[in-house]
């Protein structure tokens, strides 16, 4: 009996092996290539004069004078951004002049309607800046004090550096103060 079962099992296996060699299948193959490209975040600081031309250094400024210097930021990238700006003001005294310059004698007319000064010293633009758009100016005028800017400041140079930073607006907070991922200065 055992011998019969082994013989029957062997025959069934041989038939199964023979049958698989004669079975044909229809097959197909395909490949899909998809590309998903990320956008970019890019900004540019623009400094303009009263005529809207690029700002150039001004010389022969006197105490009591005001100079038009419009500082704003343009979104040159492809995505909407949040923007923050830091401003550094320094006074370089003329060669041979000793003393510690008082930077409070040079003032900027900061726009506190469209920009908010954060506790970290940055000015934050209150709105999302879309691609191609320009912020409202952070400031437009630099004024030199009339009362206290004495002879120590003759031939001195006021240096105003504007540093702008941007981070993506999409999926990054409902306000500029909730935004994450600011570039390191």
């Amino acid at each position: 009996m055992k011998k019969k079962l082994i013989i029957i099992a062997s025959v069934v296996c041989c038939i199964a092996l023979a049958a698989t060699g004669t079975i044909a299948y229809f097959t197909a193959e395909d490949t899909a290539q998809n590309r998903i490209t990320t956008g970019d975040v890019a900004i540019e600081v623009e400094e303009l004069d009263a005529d809207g031309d690029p700002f150039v250094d001004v010389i022969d400024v006197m105490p009591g004078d005001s100079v038009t210097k419009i500082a704003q930021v343009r979104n040159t990238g492809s995505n909407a951004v949040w923007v923050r700006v830091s401003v550094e003001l320094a006074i370089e005294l003329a060669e041979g002049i000793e003393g510690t310059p008082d930077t409070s004698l040079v003032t900027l007319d900061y726009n506190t309607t469209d920009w908010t000064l954060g506790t970290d010293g940055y000015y934050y633009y209150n709105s999302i800046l879309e691609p191609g758009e320009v912020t409202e100016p952070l400031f437009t005028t630099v004024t030199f004090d009339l009362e206290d800017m004495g002879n120590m400041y003759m031939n001195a140079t006021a240096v105003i550096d504007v540093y702008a930073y941007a981070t993506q607006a999409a999926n990054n907070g409902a306000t500029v103060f909730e935004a994450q991922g600011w570039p390191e200065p």
Side-chain angles (χ1 to χ4, degrees):
M1 180 86 151
K2 233 181 185 183
K3 213 174 191 183
K4 252 186 180 180
L5 282 174
I6 291 176
I7 292 173
I8 291 173
S10 296
V11 171
V12 170
C13 283
C14 287
I15 292 171
L17 286 174
T20 58
T22 62
I23 296 176
Y25 296 98
F26 291 131
T27 63
E29 190 176 306
D30 189 19
T31 301
Q33 184 179 44
N34 297 298
R35 295 177 186 261
I36 300 173
T37 305
T38 59
D40 68 329
V41 170
I43 56 170
E44 182 178 290
V45 175
E46 293 181 346
E47 294 181 313
L48 308 172
D49 64 15
D51 297 324
D53 296 323
F55 183 84
V56 293
D57 294 344
V58 178
I59 56 172
D60 294 331
V61 175
M62 300 299 287
D65 283 352
S66 291
V67 174
T68 299
K69 179 181 176 96
I70 301 167
Q72 57 194 23
V73 179
R74 178 177 300 277
N75 183 347
T76 59
S78 62
N79 291 354
V81 296
W82 293 113
V83 175
R84 74 179 183 180
V85 172
S86 69
V87 178
E88 292 181 11
L89 171 65
I91 298 175
E92 298 172 353
L93 298 176
E95 190 174 325
I97 303 295
E98 297 293 325
T100 303
D102 181 0
T103 57
S104 71
L105 299 177
V106 178
T107 57
L108 308 173
D109 66 334
Y110 287 107
N111 170 353
T112 56
T113 301
D114 300 299
W115 295 83
T116 302
L117 178 60
T119 57
D120 55 3
Y122 289 96
Y123 284 89
Y124 290 84
Y125 192 58
N126 296 329
S127 302
I128 291 174
L129 191 61
E130 296 293 336
E133 288 185 348
V134 179
T135 64
E136 293 298 320
L138 174 59
F139 58 86
T140 58
T141 306
V142 180
T143 303
F144 298 84
D145 186 89
L146 177 62
E147 303 293 322
D148 297 316
M149 193 170 260
N151 287 342
M152 181 172 101
Y153 295 95
M154 268 198 281
N155 295 314
T157 302
V159 179
I160 303 165
D161 292 323
V162 178
Y163 302 96
Y165 306 91
T167 188
Q168 71 185 49
N171 308 315
N172 195 9
T175 70
V176 67
F177 292 104
E178 295 173 12
Q180 302 283 319
W182 293 103
E184 293 295 320

